[in-house]
């Protein structure tokens, strides 16, 4: 039975990326800088309007797992795709990236494979329009016990909380992982996601998870506060490890009574798509390989810096070499 160093569960979304100016966004009715969920017909309109497209397998936690796999971790991803062209593209691309895509495309699936149209502005800001499709239908039946139960680290995606069967799959996976000595955690994903499911989020974090990774807005949303310090303190009171990314202000890591604040070097981004995802990849790589929390955060920062230097949500450089050059390995 195979043991994975890291396993992710999340939306299996094909990212379709193009560069467009603000006038294009206005013309197409796209709100700049946020993620909007859209219906199938709106997705087709936006896809057809894209001039040049870069197509990659995406999804927040999937990007993290791919990044962790690129760093050398034995990695697997659990997600749901349709038996269509995009679904096969997604599964094949994940496997080619060195990540075991556990679930075969669903023959006769109820919805098409999920896709996100990402419009990148000249200032590097990204505007996401996501059609969730079949990935949002993930349930416990898609989560093999032999995979979840043999994971050193299990990483869950908050977006899948929008359906009860997703919540159930998370709970069962986290408990299977913990039962065999693994650690489970969640990417909060989005403040609006927390607002929709705050009680369930907090219950899962307090009783079944070992770590939480989120940005300032997401951490504050957990306890409905405008005070980040209050949000951090309350989250740390119910979870053993809290990691908060703060954009140009660095990263805060709290573990028990220990707090570490790690600065970042401010950069002008080409594309911020995947910055948080690749931070998580670097941080969890450090965690899986026994590094201390400060080194984990620095690894995360290095991975985020690489991914914002180019178009696309996944690293293009040899990240192990970059970490060595930074003195982190």
């Amino acid at each position: 039975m195979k043991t994975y160093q890291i396993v992710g569960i999340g939306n299996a979304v094909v990212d379709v990326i193009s560069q467009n100016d603000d006038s294009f966004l206005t013309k197409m009715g796209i709100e700049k800088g946020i993620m909007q969920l859209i219906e199938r017909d709106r997705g087709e309109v936006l896809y057809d309007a894209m001039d040049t497209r870069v197509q990659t397998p995406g999804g927040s936690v999937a990007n993290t797992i791919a990044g962790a796999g690129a760093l050398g971790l034995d990695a697997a991803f659990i997600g749901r795709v349709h038996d269509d062209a995009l679904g096969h593209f997604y599964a094949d691309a994940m496997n080619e990236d060195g990540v075991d895509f556990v679930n075969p495309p669903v023959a006769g699936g109820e919805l098409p494979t999920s896709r996100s149209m990402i419009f990148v502005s000249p200032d590097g800001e990204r505007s996401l329009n996501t059609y969730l499709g079949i990935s949002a239908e993930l349930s416990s039946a898609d989560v093999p016990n032999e995979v979840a139960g043999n994971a050193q680290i299990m990483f869950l995606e908050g977006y899948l909380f929008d359906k009860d069967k997703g919540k159930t799959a998370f709970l069962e996976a986290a408990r299977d992982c913990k039962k065999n000595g693994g650690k489970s955690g969640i990417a909060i994903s989005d403040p609006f996601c927390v607002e929709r499911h705050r009680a369930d989020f907090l219950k899962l974090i307090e009783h079944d998870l070992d770590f939480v990774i989120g940005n300032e807005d997401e951490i504050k949303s957990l306890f409905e506060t405008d005070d980040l310090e209050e949000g951090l303190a309350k989250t740390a009171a119910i979870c053993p490890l809290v990691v908060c990314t703060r954009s140009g202000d660095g990263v805060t890591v709290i573990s028990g009574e220990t707090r570490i604040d790690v600065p970042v070097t401010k950069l002008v981004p080409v594309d911020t798509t995947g910055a948080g995802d690749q931070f998580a990849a670097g941080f969890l790589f450090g965690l899986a390989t026994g590094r201390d929390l400060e080194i984990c955060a620095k690894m995360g920062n290095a991975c985020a810096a690489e991914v914002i230097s180019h178009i696309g949500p996944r690293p293009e450089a040899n990240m192990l070499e970059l970490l060595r050059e930074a003195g982190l390995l």
Side-chain angles (χ1 to χ4, degrees), residues 16-328:
V16 187
I17 306 167
S18 72
Q19 293 178 289
N20 301 93
D21 59 23
D22 289 355
S23 63
F24 174 87
L25 301 183
T26 301
K27 176 185 174 185
M28 297 304 299
I30 297 167
E31 191 169 345
K32 184 176 179 179
I34 68 166
M35 194 284 285
Q36 289 184 303
L37 295 179
I38 58 174
E39 298 299 325
R40 185 175 179 176
D41 56 350
R42 170 70 169 161
E44 291 172 356
V45 168
L46 293 180
Y47 183 86
D48 289 342
M50 295 173 119
D51 255 352
T52 56
R53 308 181 187 100
V54 176
Q55 187 170 287
T56 65
S60 176
V61 164
N63 288 336
T64 295
I65 299 304
L71 284 164
L73 292 188
D74 201 350
F77 180 68
I78 295 169
R80 190 172 176 85
V81 297
H82 185 72
D83 184 21
D84 55 17
L86 280 180
H88 284 280
F89 164 79
Y90 191 97
D92 292 345
M94 288 293 283
N95 289 323
E96 288 166 9
D97 282 345
V99 174
D100 286 353
F101 187 72
V102 173
N103 312 81
V106 180
E110 60 274 51
L111 294 167
T113 295
S114 310
R115 73 286 312 264
S116 181
M117 276 62 68
I118 302 173
F119 301 90
V120 182
S121 304
D123 59 3
E125 189 62 81
R126 71 205 199 282
S127 309
L128 287 74
N129 288 256
T130 303
Y131 168 61
L132 286 178
I134 197 173
S135 69
E137 302 301 319
L138 185 136
S139 71
S140 298
D142 298 302
V143 184
N145 174 267
E146 64 272 18
V147 176
N150 286 282
Q152 181 181 338
I153 292 174
M154 173 73 66
F155 196 40
L156 310 173
E157 183 174 316
Y159 284 129
L160 281 177
F161 254 57
D162 276 325
K163 295 203 174 179
D164 286 341
K165 55 188 174 183
K167 296 176 189 176
T168 301
F170 276 8
L171 183 62
E172 293 177 0
R175 290 178 178 174
D176 285 342
C177 178
K178 185 172 285 192
K179 192 187 304 178
N180 289 302
K183 293 186 181 298
S184 296
I186 195 165
I188 298 175
S189 296
D190 189 285
F192 299 111
C193 192
V194 175
E195 287 176 15
R196 292 192 295 270
H197 309 287
R198 183 171 288 106
D200 286 333
F201 254 106
L202 292 174
K203 184 178 178 182
L204 181 71
I205 290 168
E206 181 172 7
H207 298 292
D208 294 288
L209 298 185
D210 301 288
F211 65 91
V212 170
I213 299 178
N215 63 29
E216 293 178 78
D217 290 336
E218 292 161 359
I219 294 294
K220 289 189 289 189
S221 71
L222 284 173
F223 290 94
E224 298 181 90
T225 178
D226 292 326
D227 184 339
L228 176 61
E229 292 302 320
E230 180 185 357
L232 285 169
K234 288 185 173 181
T235 308
I238 64 170
C239 188
L241 176 61
V242 180
V243 184
C244 178
T245 57
R246 305 170 65 184
S247 296
D249 294 325
V251 179
T252 296
V253 182
I254 301 176
S255 176
E257 298 299 316
T258 300
R259 173 173 175 151
I260 302 165
D261 291 291
V262 180
V264 295
T265 301
K266 293 186 179 181
L267 303 170
V268 177
V270 173
D271 174 16
T272 57
T273 308
D277 305 336
Q278 294 311 317
F279 170 85
F283 187 92
L284 295 177
F285 168 76
L287 204 63
T289 53
R291 268 70 180 190
D292 66 47
L293 294 176
E294 183 174 1
I295 294 296
C296 290
K298 288 180 176 179
M299 287 178 165
N301 286 342
C303 291
E306 190 280 339
V307 82
I308 67 173
S309 70
H310 58 78
I311 297 292
R314 298 190 177 185
E316 292 181 350
N318 184 318
M319 288 310 304
L320 282 175
E321 285 185 10
L322 287 184
L323 294 184
R324 286 192 190 97
E325 290 170 6
L328 299 174

